[in-house]
């Protein structure tokens, strides 16, 4: 099971959570790539963090570090954010290693 970044991350883009990740499974992607839009009051914050479910070791270290409570274990994602499960999973499909490396966040 992996952890999932959800809607509170949109318009925040705080990277405190990824700084404690022992496997660097956080990626920084444009909202438009996953069909999302920036918040009207924060149009310059047009990215979101996503977690690679194949790399996440489900340690949970990121959860308490997230300043906006946007990270949940897969089974605990709130009903109104269930679409973020697919956003976190599907972005990785078909990407070559070079593209993934470009978007990976490294502390």
């Amino acid at each position: 099971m992996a952890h999932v970044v959800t809607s509170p991350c949109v318009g925040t883009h705080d990277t405190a959570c990824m700084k404690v990740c022992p496997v660097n499974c956080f990626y920084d992607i444009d909202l438009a790539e996953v069909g999302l839009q920036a918040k009207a009051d924060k149009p310059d914050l047009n990215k979101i963090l996503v977690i690679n479910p194949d790399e996440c070791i489900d340690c949970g270290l990121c959860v308490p570090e997230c300043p906006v409570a946007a990270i949940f274990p897969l089974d605990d994602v709130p009903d109104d954010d269930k679409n973020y499960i697919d956003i976190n999973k599907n972005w990785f499909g078909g990407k070559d290693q070079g593209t993934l490396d470009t978007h990976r966040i490294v502390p």
Side-chain angles (χ1 to χ4, degrees):
M1 180 169 72
H3 280 70
V4 177
V5 177
T6 61
S7 64
C9 188
V10 175
T12 303
H13 201 261
D14 189 300
T15 58
C17 53
M18 56 71 50
K19 292 176 183 171
V20 298
C21 180
V23 294
N24 294 328
C25 65
F26 281 85
Y27 292 74
D28 191 28
I29 62 171
D30 291 328
L31 291 170
E33 289 186 52
V34 292
L36 298 173
Q37 295 180 356
K39 292 183 177 181
D41 62 332
K42 298 178 182 178
D44 54 323
L45 293 176
N46 59 355
K47 294 193 172 202
I48 188 171
L49 305 179
V50 292
I51 295 173
N52 186 328
D54 294 330
E55 297 173 352
C56 179
I57 60 171
D58 200 31
C59 67
L61 291 173
C62 57
V63 175
E65 296 301 318
C66 180
V68 294
I71 304 172
F72 296 88
L74 179 66
D75 292 339
D76 296 336
V77 173
D79 287 340
D80 54 343
D81 275 346
K82 293 283 189 196
N83 62 316
Y84 283 83
I85 295 170
D86 287 338
I87 288 171
N88 280 254
K89 178 178 72 173
N90 294 340
W91 183 82
F92 296 93
K95 303 278 189 304
D96 62 53
Q97 193 60 49
T99 300
L100 292 175
D101 290 344
T102 300
H103 292 278
R104 182 186 301 269
I105 301 175
V106 180

